[in-house]
Amino acid sequence: MLTNNAELTENEFGLLQALFENRLGIYLPDHKKTLVGTRLWKRLRACHIQNYADYYHYINKQENELELCKALELITTNETYFFREPKHFDFLQESILPDLEKNAMVRLWSAACSSGEEIYSLAMIMSDKRKGKWEILGSDINQSMLDKATKAIYKDQRTDQMPEAYRKRFCRRGVGPFEGCLRINPDLRSRAAFRRIELHNKLPDIGVFDVVFIRNVMIYFDNDMRRKVVDQVVEKIKPGGYLFVGLSESLRGLNSKIDQVMPAVYRVRSP
């Protein structure tokens, strides 16, 4: 029978640290031991597993990838909402898109899109402001987050910063069991492509982009992994293109090919 006070030992935490770093590139510092134990305990109970060592062995099996994703959700913060950090979206509309109007195609990548609020915020802007062709890719390491992004159903409180005109144009209000929710309309959903990508591994052939958002994800990497991820992502951005990170994140000293143009916004140098 499961108890309510299973303790995450130092050895068990070390196993989980190695697993998340090796499999997902996620760095769990020592001070997060208590947080990890508390958050994963509910998964031990759900899986009827007695201790963290057994849970480690369980999620380390390839066939239990879904459970690993559930664990990842619990120990990382997927808190997001539409038009988060609005100055970034203002800069995109006012300073970037006018310069890209001459381009036959504009490509954007939300590289850690979580449950999709960021990518649909970008898609709304592109649909509203862009006259020419555009493409947008959303990726995340967590397949369950991508599944939520594909369904595109969101509680009203996550849409508080969405312009009312966009709400009317791009969303449908839920009824019945979905009352209190909005769903992105089919036309806009069809413009977003989603793909599971592990940023800490070699990136797949996804082409190059004019704009990349990779916000609020660097905090989960150690310095070496941050440098690797930034180097790989920058190679996927066209010269003169832009890279957005979270307001609490800095890329100072990580890559010599980018210059900061405003808080948490960088531009790739042209040759």
Side-chain angles (χ1 to χ4, degrees), residues 252-263:
R252 185 186 300 246
L254 290 180
N255 188 284
S256 61
K257 297 180 181 180
I258 56 176
D259 297 304
Q260 187 168 6
V261 294
M262 67 171 288

Side-chain angles (χ1 to χ4, degrees), residues 151-181:
K151 292 176 182 176
I153 299 172
Y154 303 99
K155 294 182 178 180
D156 278 349
Q157 57 262 38
R158 290 200 172 191
T159 69
D160 287 347
Q161 296 198 46
M162 185 188 298
E164 187 59 30
Y166 284 0
R167 186 190 303 265
K168 292 178 178 179
R169 179 178 173 185
F170 296 116
C171 301
R172 294 180 174 181
R173 190 165 296 280
V175 297
F178 296 105
E179 188 173 355
C181 297

Side-chain angles (χ1 to χ4, degrees), residues 2 11 100 159 224:
L2 285 172
N11 183 61
L100 296 177
T159 69
D224 289 340

Side-chain angles (χ1 to χ4, degrees), residues 66-228:
L66 180 58
E67 182 60 32
L68 180 61
C69 286
K70 290 180 180 179
L72 176 64
E73 278 184 56
L74 290 172
I75 64 172
T76 57
T77 302
N78 291 297
E79 178 60 34
T80 185
Y81 45 86
F82 286 87
F83 296 93
R84 183 179 185 182
E85 299 174 1
K87 289 184 179 180
H88 281 175
F89 295 99
D90 293 341
F91 185 73
L92 173 67
Q93 294 181 76
E94 298 166 6
S95 300
I96 298 178
L97 290 185
D99 288 344
L100 296 177
E101 197 55 50
K102 62 184 181 297
N103 293 19
M105 171 68 75
V106 173
R107 303 188 73 224
L108 298 90
W109 177 24
S110 172
C113 70
S114 187
S115 47
E117 288 90 338
E118 180 175 273
I119 196 170
Y120 290 121
S121 298
L122 293 170
M124 289 177 189
I125 290 173
M126 296 303 292
S127 184
D128 185 35
K129 303 297 183 183
R130 169 73 178 165
K131 296 184 177 67
K133 294 181 180 180
W134 57 275
E135 295 179 350
I136 186 165
L137 171 67
S139 71
D140 201 88
I141 194 173
N142 195 327
Q143 185 60 50
S144 65
M145 287 290 106
L146 293 174
D147 293 341
K148 291 178 181 179
T150 302
K151 292 176 182 176
I153 299 172
Y154 303 99
K155 294 182 178 180
D156 278 349
Q157 57 262 38
R158 290 200 172 191
T159 69
D160 287 347
Q161 296 198 46
M162 185 188 298
E164 187 59 30
Y166 284 0
R167 186 190 303 265
K168 292 178 178 179
R169 179 178 173 185
F170 296 116
C171 301
R172 294 180 174 181
R173 190 165 296 280
V175 297
F178 296 105
E179 188 173 355
C181 297
L182 296 176
R183 190 177 194 190
I184 305 300
N185 71 30
D187 289 342
L188 199 69
R189 293 203 309 271
S190 70
R191 300 300 303 268
F194 293 99
R195 181 169 178 175
R196 183 176 183 273
I197 294 178
E198 298 179 348
L199 297 173
H200 65 290
N201 288 329
K202 182 180 178 181
L203 297 179
D205 184 8
I206 53 177
V208 293
F209 298 85
D210 300 280
V211 178
V212 174
F213 276 59
I214 183 171
R215 304 190 300 174
N216 306 308
V217 68
M218 294 296 172
I219 57 174
Y220 297 110
F221 302 137
D222 63 19
N223 286 334
D224 289 340
M225 185 59 69
R226 286 190 194 104
R227 188 180 303 277
K228 176 182 177 181

